[in-house]
Amino acid sequence: MSDEDDTKVHDVSSALEYWPAPPPWGWSADDLDHLPSEGPNGEPDFFKHVELIDGALVFMSPQRRFHQSLIRGLNERLNTQSPAHLTAVDQMDVKLGERTRPCPDLMIIDAEAAADMNRTYYEAREVHLVIEIVSPESVERDRKLKPLRYAEAGIPHFWRVEESDGRPVVYVYERDPATGVYTPTGIHHGHLAVQVPFPFEVDLDQLVK
């Protein structure tokens, strides 16, 4: 049986028959574009905030105000300082493989890709930086699992943002092309200044005021 035929057999409707367990063959990245607006029991917007990690659906918790403020503030400043060929996008998916499609808080991507308003996800090759803002329920994913997957997919830069006494702290990583893993390059309190993927500077404490 070809991959195309297999996709026709294992469609989203048949996968939902196994709910709440995942289907035996697992979910695929393309399934996310075909999930219904309602949940299996008629719940409204049930699949609105979901990402796919290693074939399993992960439901994201509602954002805290701290989280929202950082997304908005970083997005604005990244777009102000980014070169013309790059742009920042927030809460859009990146396809890392057939079974992994996370939804990072922020990404720096090719401006050409961002110009396509029909896109529901971006390919790893179009992404230059991924930023994850850690929530209480996402600590393990944001610290361990997701960075591993981003590095394996070849995304060159990763930032993890955590909260310390109500203030953001940014952990900056760069992918070592020799090992294919992220290497820490700095921990930033109060002020963030980097030269890659482009020169960028921001007063971190101002982002949450």
Side-chain angles (χ1 to χ4, degrees):
M1 179 180 290
S2 69
D3 291 341
E4 182 178 355
D5 290 336
D6 190 57
T7 300
K8 291 179 180 178
V9 173
H10 295 157
D11 61 13
V12 169
S13 296
S14 60
L16 288 173
E17 293 176 4
Y18 292 87
W19 190 264
W25 55 89
W27 295 91
S28 75
D30 293 336
D31 286 338
L32 269 62
D33 287 328
H34 304 286
L35 290 171
S37 58
E38 296 184 343
N41 297 309
E43 306 91 336
D45 296 328
F46 187 77
F47 293 108
K48 185 175 182 180
H49 300 292
V50 64
E51 54 187 354
L52 183 72
I53 307 293
D54 295 334
L57 295 179
V58 177
F59 291 83
M60 295 175 282
S61 298
Q63 288 181 3
R64 296 181 300 146
R65 175 63 174 156
F66 177 86
H67 200 119
Q68 182 193 50
S69 295
L70 283 176
I71 290 176
R72 185 184 66 245
L74 279 172
N75 192 329
E76 177 184 339
R77 288 160 179 79
L78 284 165
N79 272 319
T80 298
Q81 300 181 43
S82 64
H85 69 283
L86 299 176
T87 191
V89 296
D90 64 87
Q91 302 171 94
M92 288 288 293
D93 293 357
V94 55
K95 185 177 179 180
L96 304 181
E98 290 307 312
R99 291 166 53 83
T100 300
R101 180 174 154 177
C103 183
D105 289 304
L106 288 153
M107 292 187 289
I108 293 293
I109 66 171
D110 293 332
E112 183 178 358
D116 183 352
M117 294 301 165
N118 292 318
R119 298 286 290 271
T120 58
Y121 64 84
Y122 300 103
E123 300 285 352
R125 65 177 181 274
E126 299 170 318
V127 180
H128 300 261
L129 165 67
V130 167
I131 303 173
E132 292 285 9
I133 301 168
V134 178
S135 298
E137 57 84 24
S138 70
V139 172
E140 288 296 310
R141 294 195 303 276
D142 291 343
R143 288 181 179 175
K144 298 179 181 180
L145 182 56
K146 284 187 175 183
L148 179 64
R149 295 291 179 262
Y150 294 142
E152 288 174 344
I155 296 174
H157 301 281
F158 173 72
W159 298 355
R160 190 182 78 248
V161 186
E162 303 216 14
E163 181 181 359
S164 178
D165 297 326
R167 303 168 65 186
V169 180
V170 181
Y171 298 78
V172 175
Y173 298 84
E174 185 170 351
R175 185 177 182 271
D176 182 343
T179 63
V181 300
Y182 287 129
T183 299
T185 61
I187 302 175
H188 301 262
H189 300 256
H191 186 82
L192 170 64
V194 296
Q195 291 301 309
V196 290
F198 55 84
F200 177 73
E201 189 171 0
V202 64
D203 183 336
L204 296 171
D205 293 338
Q206 290 295 322
L207 297 176
V208 290
K209 289 186 177 181

